[in-house]
Amino acid sequence: MNIDLHYLNTNKVNLLNFDRKKMQNFMHLIDEKSFRADQLMHWIYQRFCNNFSYMTNFTECLKNKLKNTSFIQFPYILKEIVSIDHTIKWLISVQNGIIETIYIPEKKRGTLCISSQVGCPLTCTFCATGMQGFKRNLLVSEIVGQIWLAYQKINNNTKHVYFPITNIVFMGMGEPLLNLKNLITALNIISDTCGFNISKKKIVISTAGIIPALNKLSKICDVKLAISLHASNNTIRNRLMPINKRYNIQSLLKTVLRFLQNSKLNKNGITIEYIMLHNINDSIVHAKELIKLLYNIPSKINLIPWNYLPNSHLKCSSITKINIFSKYLINKGLMTTIRKTRGQDIQAACGQLTGNNNYKS
Ligand code: SAH
């Protein structure tokens, strides 16, 4: 035990990287009982306390042990930008980069859109994050740190009454399934009753479809899935999303079907995200192909009006065309909704996240 403590003394750990199991292991390592892990998480994630000195139910001895072996460190907010529709975007500084976190207030819920990577390696042609390149995976502390910071900001906001955070979506920067290990630990913390205590029913992982990671995930834990399909055939998807050349539509949908067999959280079907792009994927022919693809996949389709990016040759489909496409799918029995675009004036909408700090607020 002494050897372990010596090791910890020279290499302090950030406790935000631990879910409950890891926190319990850590407590054992410093000769403390498991219930101290529950108490510590309660202080951090429910009472928003990051200072050991204020943890009043801890003995002085425990506080000192914690101070000598560990720390609680969040990334920090560089800038807050508020949209006319009250959406808030935070630019958050992490080691060698900037990530973005978006809060979207609605009538009966508050959704937080969080990032999983600094940049993104997928290079989807319609997405600003993808075009900007990839730096690295986020640490668990940086994933849960975004939520901790947002809670603080929403709770302490005096200018506007915001609905508390009720939903978390992994739809910010990055591909969450390429950061699987940290994603799973973060999910444990978000849904833990000693953590943020947000039900897994209220957490959505959006993915371009990394097949091996989906298979792994299916064996480890259940999550609510949104699949970025965006095309009705491989020719179009190859052009829009290079990852399709490795994992094509048919093999992806087969994997999704297998995932659904082991999933309780997706009983009402997964979400299929489909960006509407003028003259690329928005005709009735495409709608027909989409219906064929999804005939055996319990799903609801979310049509996303494409958000404009500078220097792109792409164009968003017209509202009329989106409505015709949507109505066609609905008439054929597919549950279909059109995503309301939020925070476009502050470049906080889907695919507009670049971590660009030069934006004028
Ligand atoms: N890598 C994950 C998360 C990405 S962001 C994924 O691919 O799902 C969440 C959603 O925004 C994805 O469906 C993504 O394809 C979409 N998106 C990206 N750029 C967009 C843009 N310019 N307009 C609208 N949606 C966009």
Side-chain angles (χ1 to χ4, degrees), residues 17-40:
N17 286 311
F18 295 162
D19 59 11
R20 183 126 53 133
K21 238 192 204 143
K22 289 178 184 144
M23 196 73 94
Q24 287 171 344
N25 288 341
F26 172 76
M27 285 296 175
H28 294 159
L29 215 58
I30 58 169
D31 260 341
E32 293 286 338
K33 297 230 164 71
S34 297
F35 77 94
R36 293 296 190 189
D38 304 11
Q39 288 180 326
L40 186 54

Side-chain angles (χ1 to χ4, degrees), residues 42-235:
H42 196 268
W43 277 113
I44 300 173
Y45 297 108
Q46 296 195 359
R47 304 196 61 178
F48 300 99
C49 172
N50 59 349
N51 186 338
F52 299 128
S53 305
Y54 298 146
M55 301 184 176
T56 47
N57 53 356
F58 286 180
T59 60
E60 283 311 307
C61 168
L62 171 54
K63 285 181 197 165
N64 284 332
K65 272 197 239 176
L66 289 172
K67 282 176 198 163
N68 291 333
T69 55
S70 63
F71 56 92
I72 300 169
Q73 195 181 326
F74 295 92
Y76 72 93
I77 294 178
L78 280 177
K79 203 180 229 174
E80 173 179 285
I81 308 156
V82 183
S83 155
I84 40 169
D85 67 18
H86 298 299
T87 296
I88 310 177
K89 159 159 129 170
W90 293 288
L91 291 165
I92 296 179
S93 171
V94 293
Q95 211 171 20
N96 59 41
I98 296 174
I99 53 166
E100 300 193 3
T101 306
I102 317 291
Y103 167 79
I104 307 149
E106 282 159 289
K107 265 195 199 132
K108 289 187 182 160
R109 60 181 187 183
T111 301
L112 193 70
C113 174
I114 61 176
S115 298
S116 55
Q117 299 183 312
V118 187
C120 182
L122 294 184
T123 63
C124 300
T125 51
F126 50 78
C127 177
T129 312
M131 298 321 282
Q132 164 214 33
F134 172 66
K135 293 244 176 73
R136 66 173 175 89
N137 279 334
L138 288 181
L139 302 171
V140 177
S141 57
E142 294 163 333
I143 299 175
V144 297
Q146 295 171 64
I147 307 173
W148 197 89
L149 292 169
Y151 260 98
Q152 294 281 75
K153 286 283 179 186
I154 296 297
N155 292 346
N156 301 331
N157 194 298
T158 47
K159 284 191 205 140
H160 185 80
V161 180
Y162 281 107
F163 205 88
I165 295 166
T166 53
N167 295 58
I168 305 282
V169 295
F170 281 81
M171 294 188 185
M173 292 164 82
E175 168 50 51
L177 292 195
L178 289 177
N179 188 7
L180 192 63
K181 198 165 149 263
N182 293 345
L183 172 75
I184 290 170
T185 309
L187 280 173
N188 290 341
I189 298 171
I190 300 168
S191 57
D192 194 324
T193 48
C194 287
F196 291 112
N197 196 14
I198 296 175
S199 156
K200 279 202 175 155
K201 288 182 198 154
K202 309 268 180 191
I203 309 169
V204 177
I205 313 293
S206 176
T207 177
I210 314 297
I211 291 181
L214 271 170
N215 287 331
K216 237 187 191 168
L217 187 64
S218 166
K219 289 189 189 111
I220 302 171
C221 75
D222 196 8
V223 299
K224 276 187 87 165
L225 274 188
I227 301 286
S228 292
L229 193 62
H230 304 326
S232 56
N233 63 53
N234 286 316
T235 313

Side-chain angles (χ1 to χ4, degrees), residues 253 286-297 334:
L253 292 180
H286 301 121
K288 283 182 180 163
E289 281 181 339
L290 192 58
I291 293 165
K292 258 195 196 153
L293 281 179
L294 298 177
Y295 83 98
N296 65 343
I297 313 269
L334 278 84

